[in-house]
Amino acid sequence: MQHTLTLQQLGDLVDPHNLITDSYQKAYYCKGFRVGHGDALAVVLPETLLQLWQVLKVCQQNDTIILMQASNTGVTGGSTPQGNDYDRPVVIVSTRKIKGVQVIDNAQQVIAFPGSTLTELETSLKPWNKEPHSVIGSSCIGASVVGGICNNSGGSLLQRGPAFTEKSLFAQIDDSGELHLINHLGIDLGSTPEEMIARLEAGDYTTGTAPDWEGKIWADDYAGVIKDVDATTPTRFNGNPQYLHDSAGCAGKVIVFAVRLATFDATPQEDTFYIGTNDEQVLLELRRYLIEQLDTLPIQAEYIHRNAFRLTLRYARHMFLSIKRFGPAALPALMQKKARWDALVKKLRLLPHNTIDRLIQWGNYIMPSTVAPRLLSYHRRYEHHLMIKVARDEVPQMSRLLTAYFATRNGEWFHCTQAEQKDAFLVRFGVGACTVFYCEFAGINTDDRLIAFDVALRRNDDRWMIRLPPELQAQVLEDSCCGHFFCLVNHQDYILKPGVDSVKFKAAVLAYLDQRGAKYPAEHNIGHLYHASEEHQHHFHQLDPTNSCNPGIGKTSKKKHWA
């Protein structure tokens, strides 16, 4: 009866198509992009901030778990249910329809609503000749701005650092179970939740006064962190107390209505240098050499291992081609259509559950890759690939330094054409999905056999690759490695052979990483794969004392009041 009442009250707030209770339609929201799945009483999609507030009140009054979800592009299962052992019903609140970006203070800052994506933010700033805080790879699959803040997502921009702000508007359930809307945007919006929401949505406020600017709205110290190449600590990692503040690093423990962020002058023209070598030490020494010699840090420095390149060309080719033809903004809709086709196949029960994936991979097999020939040539000849993007006026210095460096070392480099630059970064950002597509095609359960490590290495580390001992390597079917190289953030995926104990395998690799002084996760957030640190758990307890929002995150308690 309580469940019926909850559904009835939610149905009174939103249009019928925005309240999903059918198990097949819920499937897209209940399963993570890579890992994680569980059941939910309902999925609700409010279309305005006011509807979001009203939905939260119904959930709070009916003692349901609130699980916030934006684009569902996370790779650690942090925005989907994990199992079915919760002590209260779970309601997934998807904010994907609450879009909007407000450009403020002569485009020096923006306010982003919970459903806005990085692609949308980038588009909103182009008329102002400005860029957002992040253009991370997952922007290609619709990653949300607010999701990045909640996860302290790292991204690839060396001069801007992880997603961070101290200014946000968020809802919070206090220790007595009462729901409050907290305005830490630094903008006067009034006193009641309804007034704050109405004025924010209407843009009925003023900004620009001195107190209004107090507080950080980006990680403005990050370039200096990278330049300290002798430090024994990583550049960044999830749970770093330096970047835990209100919604920043909250992992869904509060409900974010808006965030305030900095913007940056757009780089007029960008050029990329592509480097190949068969010796990882050559790249590590190059990293130190360039950081110490360059007048300005590059825009990006991204790494791909040959095997990741191969898997991407084979299993993520459809993603590469889709983005190349239709642009990144089209991909979320294509993914939703694919999820509906998957649900239909499962409902009919006439074909294998991965029929759509098999058809996609058949298409990948027969379709030409269209990747630039010089990139394919390097793929054949070199194990390690590095692409460094710089502003056009920094090209002469980079050319001189690379020429001098490789005069006596193994490896080659070339200055990319614009077409080669586009292809190189499309391949790089297809890497994150290639192992998922491999598993879906082969019918492999990603929860059991896909093990991902998101690792922040020491800034003075003399190794890049995760070299497994022979007994562990023998348990691996396929592996893929990419990363943000100047940040020394390594993304390593392993697809395990059948019958391998994934828990023991992961524990052994984590013990090896501990010996190297690494921190993990580096930027994908803890989700349901990693244990939250004491500092991170303290942040969660302060934000959500009743444990009503996203319980179980970071392998913490799923019980009410953290029992």
Side-chain angles (χ1 to χ4, degrees):
M1 290 178 64
Q2 184 65 43
H3 293 178
T4 302
L5 178 62
T6 302
L7 294 175
Q8 179 183 336
Q9 291 176 342
L10 290 173
D12 290 340
L13 296 175
V14 299
D15 290 339
H17 62 276
N18 287 333
L19 180 63
I20 302 171
T21 56
D22 177 78
S23 59
Y24 290 103
Q25 294 184 46
K26 285 189 298 183
Y28 174 74
Y29 301 90
C30 292
K31 186 180 186 303
F33 175 64
R34 276 202 184 187
V35 297
H37 67 274
D39 198 13
L41 174 65
V43 178
V44 59
L45 293 89
E47 294 187 340
T48 66
L49 292 179
L50 181 59
Q51 275 192 356
L52 174 58
W53 174 251
Q54 293 168 336
V55 164
L56 296 179
K57 288 200 292 185
V58 168
C59 292
Q60 175 257 334
Q61 290 165 2
N62 288 280
D63 196 24
T64 67
I65 286 170
I66 300 167
L67 205 163
M68 298 303 299
Q69 185 182 103
S71 301
N72 195 13
T73 58
V75 297
T76 58
S79 59
T80 53
Q82 179 69 13
N84 297 313
D85 57 341
Y86 295 91
D87 61 347
R88 293 150 288 169
V90 176
V91 172
I92 297 173
V93 182
S94 171
T95 60
R96 63 173 60 242
K97 293 190 175 184
I98 313 178
K99 297 185 179 297
V101 173
Q102 296 178 347
V103 182
I104 62 173
D105 293 326
N106 295 317
Q108 296 180 72
Q109 299 183 11
V110 294
I111 293 176
F113 289 1
S116 59
T117 65
L118 285 171
T119 303
E120 180 188 353
L121 178 56
E122 207 170 343
T123 302
S124 299
L125 291 175
K126 277 183 179 177
W128 302 85
N129 201 30
K130 289 281 190 176
E131 293 177 342
H133 64 291
S134 182
V135 289
I136 60 175
S138 51
S139 63
C140 293
I141 51 175
S144 73
V145 177
V146 167
I149 295 296
C150 295
N151 292 336
N152 286 147
S153 297
S156 61
L157 298 182
L158 301 175
Q159 300 166 18
R160 299 176 197 172
F164 177 72
T165 184
E166 294 180 355
K167 292 184 177 292
S168 62
L169 176 71
F170 59 93
Q172 181 180 41
I173 297 176
D174 66 18
D175 53 7
S176 62
E178 295 299 316
L179 182 69
H180 304 275
L181 189 62
I182 312 295
N183 180 13
H184 287 174
L185 280 173
I187 298 171
D188 181 12
L189 294 172
S191 55
T192 68
E194 291 77 13
E195 181 187 8
M196 286 189 272
I197 290 168
R199 288 182 59 183
L200 178 63
E201 288 185 320
D204 180 18
Y205 55 82
T206 58
T207 63
T209 58
D212 171 18
W213 285 77
E214 292 174 1
K216 284 191 173 188
I217 53 173
W218 67 290
D220 53 11
D221 60 339
Y222 190 67
V225 171
I226 287 182
K227 289 178 180 179
D228 188 0
V229 293
D230 292 313
T232 59
T233 55
T235 57
R236 63 170 188 249
F237 57 93
N238 292 132
N240 182 348
Q242 182 179 355
Y243 298 126
L244 299 179
H245 185 94
D246 287 351
S247 60
C250 73
K253 302 303 287 182
V254 295
I255 300 94
V256 183
F257 281 60
V259 292
R260 185 172 177 178
L261 303 164
T263 67
F264 302 86
D265 292 335
T267 306
Q269 291 176 305
E270 299 172 340
D271 284 66
T272 294
F273 293 85
Y274 200 94
I275 298 155
T277 181
N278 288 312
D279 185 348
E280 69 177 279
Q281 290 301 317
V282 168
L283 291 188
L284 282 166
E285 292 168 9
L286 175 64
R287 171 184 174 270
R288 174 181 285 268
Y289 171 73
L290 291 178
I291 289 174
E292 292 178 340
Q293 296 295 322
L294 285 169
D295 296 333
T296 305
L297 282 176
I299 297 168
Q300 293 170 282
E302 294 296 297
Y303 171 90
I304 309 177
H305 188 266
R306 172 192 278 156
N307 210 40
F309 199 118
R310 174 182 64 84
L311 291 171
T312 301
L313 287 188
R314 173 62 184 88
Y315 295 101
R317 182 174 298 188
H318 60 295
M319 177 180 282
F320 173 91
L321 293 173
S322 296
I323 299 171
K324 195 170 183 177
R325 181 170 181 179
F326 302 113
L331 213 55
L334 293 175
M335 291 173 65
Q336 254 187 314
K337 286 181 181 178
K338 193 262 184 185
R340 286 198 290 268
W341 294 335
D342 283 337
L344 179 61
V345 167
K346 291 177 183 177
K347 195 171 187 176
L348 293 175
R349 299 181 180 178
L350 297 174
L351 297 168
H353 73 277
N354 62 342
T355 295
I356 304 301
D357 299 292
R358 291 183 180 183
L359 290 173
I360 288 172
Q361 294 307 327
W362 179 78
N364 283 346
Y365 184 75
I366 64 172
M367 288 287 289
S369 71
T370 74
V371 174
R374 278 204 289 187
L375 301 183
L376 294 176
S377 173
Y378 269 49
H379 170 237
R380 289 190 296 269
R381 292 186 289 130
Y382 293 114
E383 180 181 359
H384 306 286
H385 299 242
L386 180 64
M387 53 201 74
I388 302 178
K389 183 181 286 187
V390 299
R392 176 65 57 84
D393 58 4
E394 294 161 10
V395 166
Q397 184 184 27
M398 180 63 74
S399 297
R400 288 195 304 272
L401 291 174
L402 290 177
T403 299
Y405 183 81
F406 281 102
T408 58
R409 292 171 177 85
N410 168 271
E412 290 183 88
W413 62 276
F414 65 88
H415 184 180
C416 293
T417 65
Q418 289 302 301
E420 288 170 335
Q421 173 177 275
K422 181 177 180 179
D423 280 4
F425 280 93
L426 281 179
V427 172
R428 162 63 184 90
F429 293 127
V431 171
C434 69
T435 50
V436 177
F437 295 140
Y438 180 105
C439 290
E440 290 175 342
F441 167 63
I444 293 172
N445 186 339
T446 55
D447 287 340
D448 293 336
R449 290 175 53 193
L450 177 57
I451 306 297
F453 295 96
D454 168 29
V455 184
L457 302 172
R458 292 178 292 109
R459 281 169 278 176
N460 68 344
D461 205 322
D462 58 0
R463 289 168 289 171
W464 165 249
M465 300 297 294
I466 298 175
R467 303 289 183 185
L468 298 181
E471 62 273 16
L472 287 179
Q473 190 63 49
Q475 301 176 38
V476 175
L477 178 65
E478 285 283 5
D479 66 272
S480 165
C481 178
C482 64
H484 310 304
F485 194 69
F486 277 24
C487 304
L488 285 188
V489 168
N490 183 309
H491 300 313
Q492 178 74 56
D493 287 4
Y494 295 105
I495 301 174
L496 302 180
K497 293 178 179 178
V500 172
D501 188 326
S502 60
V503 175
K504 289 184 178 179
F505 178 89
K506 183 175 181 179
V509 178
L510 291 180
Y512 159 80
L513 293 171
D514 288 338
Q515 292 174 356
R516 289 183 59 176
K519 292 282 190 180
Y520 46 82
E523 61 178 12
H524 290 160
N525 208 6
I526 50 177
H528 290 283
L529 296 183
Y530 297 93
H531 287 275
S533 66
E534 289 187 12
E535 293 88 354
H536 219 165
Q537 289 188 50
H538 178 68
H539 188 53
F540 295 161
H541 280 261
Q542 282 190 315
L543 294 176
D544 185 18
T546 64
N547 203 20
S548 297
C549 299
N550 206 7
I553 195 77
K555 298 188 180 292
T556 58
S557 170
K558 290 183 177 179
K559 306 299 182 184
K560 190 171 182 179
H561 294 292
W562 303 90

